[in-house]
Amino acid sequence: VTGQSLGGNDWCAAPDPRLAALLDGELPPSGRQQLEDHLRVCARCRADLAQQRSVQLLLRRTAATSLGSNDWCAAPDPRLAALLDGELAPSERQQLEDHLKVCARCRADLVQQRSIQLLLRQTAATLTPSPALRAKLNMSTSRAGHRSRRRGILALGGLAAAVALLALTGLLFLASQPLSSALLADAVRAHQDQTLGDAPVTFASADSSAVASWARQQTGKSFDVPDLEPVGYRLLGARMQPDVGLRAVALVYEGSSGRLTCTILPAGAPSWLRWPSAARFERVHAEELDGAGLATWADAESAYVMVANVRPAALLPLARFVAANSP
Amino acid sequence: MRGSEEERREAFEAEMLPHLRGAYRLARALTGRDQDAEDLVQDTYLRAFAGFGGYQRNTNARAWLLTILRRIYLNGQRRAHARPLLFPLPGPDEADEPVDTHEPGPEEQTLRTLESAVVLETLAQLRSPYREALALVDLEGMRYAEAAAILGCPVGTVMSRLHRGRLELARRLQNVRSQGAAG
């Protein structure tokens, strides 16, 4: 583009080199005013200034994206998450904000991130634990304190029995899971404190289907209530056993050797997750713990802890009978 | 003896119970179900109480508690082989596909009105690393450094997990919405 080819006296012979400085804001006020006056009458200089501005923009975009001349990153910058969360250093933030001015894909990414962030914040406001949980926690920590005191009082024999149980059942990994061994101790304690007490059940019925229905209502889980009549134990009823597991149900039976507790822990609860897989735990094991006989086993649906004040050798056939007759 | 036990319990409750809701939120995001979340929280408080002697009082109780919660959850998952990584991340081709909007359009607006239950259910389908990062930062409002301490990873990893997790959650929620509209 030359003044000659465009014709007319309104065109400079050559564009003013100070136009670049004008564009970059580098001219002193007096020089800027002079050049702006000239631009009003010189179409060539106006064309030159527009061309310089276009080149400047293009170069800035290129510098910001470092990806060439298109407006899209190959993949959005993961620092966009940090930008949204206010986790970027000022220098990085400025760099990313400059980039956002020219990259539509990163802008879209940022909008999407913000949408999800807002959505999750709204969701968080709706998440409240049930009022019962706090009460359960109070009870749990209270019982845990009680348990730790009892452990202090218990002779080493109790601990040795627990270790022996773990070794015998091949569940040595439980030794690193204090809650699991505590769970067995809790089951024994519940038997001694509640099953042998004056009110062993909260739902009294000898009808196994009625007890199963009650347990299902309490827990939302299906339970199979074992029938021990063939081995001399009649069903007294059931109670919830939340200190062993939130959805644990203790079934209480009575026979010639006294009362028996069969605590069922349905699969799915974290306490269940600490049990081994059914394949590794399908055999029934019996041992003595805290002066009681204790048998444990599991199937695909539940883990079972049976406790009675009989020798383990006497408890084992009962446990095997239940395990063999479970669906 | 009895007195010191009571003092210990009171100190535990004073430090840890204020974080019950935060623990529940994380548990809910990890397990995807109310009852499992409450079970997990109860186990966490039991374990925390048992290990309270090892906690340095008046430090970061929330981070300590949530670290325990996460460990219990992950241990349980490992032992039970419970939930495989169900959904792969989008492949390189899919990730490179340009997004054709940069302002909150109708789809984003709809995302914001989805019910919490749907959001949580979809969140629970994400891979654990993304779910954890979203739960700690977006649900729980943690800074990256605190989340990184709980997750045992660098701050930069938290950032990239958040970034990909949010995009993946957005994609899944759009699918949920599309299926809802089609059904």
Side-chain angles (χ1 to χ4, degrees), chain A:
Chain A
V1 178
T2 65
Q4 185 63 40
S5 64
L6 291 168
N9 291 330
D10 285 341
W11 298 96
C12 288
D16 195 315
R18 294 176 304 166
L19 287 169
L22 178 70
L23 186 65
D24 294 329
E26 295 282 350
L27 278 184
S30 60
R32 192 181 70 194
Q33 187 60 53
Q34 187 187 8
L35 202 52
E36 285 174 351
D37 289 344
H38 173 71
L39 280 167
R40 290 193 191 100
V41 294
C42 180
R44 179 163 190 191
C45 282
R46 287 201 298 275
D48 184 275
L49 184 65
Q51 200 169 30
Q52 293 219 26
R53 185 176 287 124
S54 298
V55 172
Q56 183 193 54
L57 272 176
L58 183 63
L59 289 175
R60 283 186 178 175
R61 285 182 181 184
T62 303
T65 61
S66 303
L67 289 168
S69 59
N70 68 44
D71 281 351
W72 298 95
C73 284
D77 194 322
R79 292 177 306 166
L80 289 166
L83 177 70
L84 185 65
D85 295 323
E87 295 268 357
L88 278 187
S91 60
E92 275 191 300
R93 193 181 69 198
Q94 187 59 52
Q95 187 187 2
L96 205 51
E97 284 174 351
D98 287 345
H99 172 73
L100 280 166
K101 288 174 189 157
V102 295
C103 180
R105 179 162 190 195
C106 282
R107 286 200 300 275
D109 181 286
L110 188 63
V111 168
Q112 211 166 19
Q113 300 249 343
R114 186 178 291 126
S115 297
I116 291 298
Q117 185 197 52
L118 283 172
L119 192 64
L120 288 175
R121 285 181 180 173
Q122 288 168 5
T123 301
T126 69
L127 286 176
T128 308
S130 71
L133 181 60
R134 183 181 289 267
K136 283 172 185 167
L137 289 178
N138 283 333
M139 184 188 70
S140 298
T141 54
S142 174
R143 288 207 185 279
H146 173 68
R147 190 162 58 235
S148 70
R149 283 196 300 278
R150 287 184 72 235
R151 280 185 185 143
I153 295 166
L154 281 173
L156 282 176
L159 181 60
V163 171
L165 169 68
L166 296 175
L168 282 171
T169 55
L171 303 176
L172 281 174
F173 75 95
L174 283 177
S176 62
Q177 295 291 314
L179 282 180
S180 288
S181 52
L183 179 150
L184 299 180
D186 274 344
V188 171
R189 179 192 46 72
H191 171 79
Q192 290 167 338
D193 291 352
Q194 297 178 54
T195 298
L196 302 184
D198 294 334
V201 296
T202 53
F203 181 80
S205 173
D207 181 347
S208 57
S209 60
V211 173
S213 174
W214 176 83
R216 189 167 58 247
Q217 285 174 357
Q218 299 295 311
T219 63
K221 296 274 184 181
S222 292
F223 278 86
D224 183 62
V225 175
D227 178 10
L228 296 185
E229 290 277 2
V231 286
Y233 280 81
R234 68 185 179 89
L235 183 63
L236 293 182
R239 64 172 184 267
M240 295 302 294
Q241 202 70 64
D243 47 342
V244 174
L246 274 184
R247 280 174 284 179
V249 174
L251 306 171
V252 179
Y253 298 82
E254 189 156 47
S256 56
S257 303
R259 287 178 184 165
L260 175 149
T261 311
C262 183
T263 304
I264 305 178
L265 297 105
S271 52
W272 160 259
L273 295 180
R274 286 195 302 276
W275 295 85
S277 67
R280 292 177 55 198
F281 198 38
E282 59 192 5
R283 285 182 56 206
V284 180
H285 301 278
E287 188 50 77
E288 183 178 335
L289 183 64
D290 287 358
L294 178 142
T296 52
W297 74 99
D299 57 28
E301 298 295 325
S302 307
Y304 299 80
V305 181
M306 184 180 275
V307 187
N309 288 68
V310 297
R311 288 178 295 107
L315 188 62
L316 195 57
L318 296 175
R320 283 179 174 158
F321 175 82
V322 174
N325 289 283
S326 294

Side-chain angles (χ1 to χ4, degrees), chain B:
Chain B
M1 186 76 178
R2 173 98 185 171
S4 65
E5 188 63 46
E6 284 302 312
E7 284 169 15
R8 177 170 171 265
R9 199 162 93 84
E10 284 172 13
F12 175 80
E13 290 180 357
E15 288 234 32
M16 299 303 159
L17 283 184
H19 304 295
L20 172 60
R21 194 168 177 198
Y24 176 76
R25 278 196 292 255
L26 177 59
R28 185 66 176 74
L30 291 176
T31 64
R33 294 176 12 159
D34 286 335
Q35 189 61 59
D36 288 347
E38 295 206 345
D39 286 350
L40 178 54
V41 169
Q42 192 184 27
D43 274 7
T44 299
Y45 272 84
L46 280 167
R47 180 74 63 86
F49 185 73
F52 192 53
Y55 166 72
Q56 192 175 351
R57 306 261 173 108
N58 301 313
T59 54
N60 194 339
R62 178 172 71 159
W64 186 75
L65 190 70
L66 298 191
T67 302
I68 293 172
L69 186 148
R70 176 176 175 266
R71 198 182 305 133
I72 293 173
Y73 172 75
L74 292 179
N75 286 343
Q77 291 292 90
R78 271 194 287 271
R79 295 223 168 84
H81 306 288
R83 181 152 45 193
L85 304 181
L86 293 174
F87 299 97
L89 281 174
D93 292 341
E94 193 179 348
D96 287 348
E97 188 179 321
V99 181
D100 61 0
T101 179
H102 61 271
E103 292 299 328
E107 292 193 338
E108 279 80 10
Q109 296 293 348
T110 307
L111 274 185
R112 295 176 189 180
T113 61
L114 283 170
E115 286 184 10
S116 297
V118 176
V119 175
L120 287 167
E121 189 179 322
T122 311
L123 176 65
Q125 293 169 356
L126 295 187
R127 293 176 61 188
S128 277
Y130 304 129
R131 206 172 350 141
E132 290 174 341
L134 290 172
L136 292 175
V137 175
D138 284 343
L139 287 181
E140 200 45 33
M142 282 187 175
R143 305 297 296 175
Y144 286 8
E146 196 178 3
I150 290 173
L151 298 175
C153 67
V155 167
T157 304
V158 173
M159 177 182 73
S160 56
R161 287 178 183 174
L162 269 175
H163 182 250
R164 299 191 76 174
R166 282 173 181 157
L167 295 182
E168 178 66 5
L169 182 58
R171 190 179 70 81
R172 288 177 184 278
L173 288 171
Q174 295 285 13
N175 287 343
V176 169
R177 193 185 72 85
S178 303
Q179 285 164 8

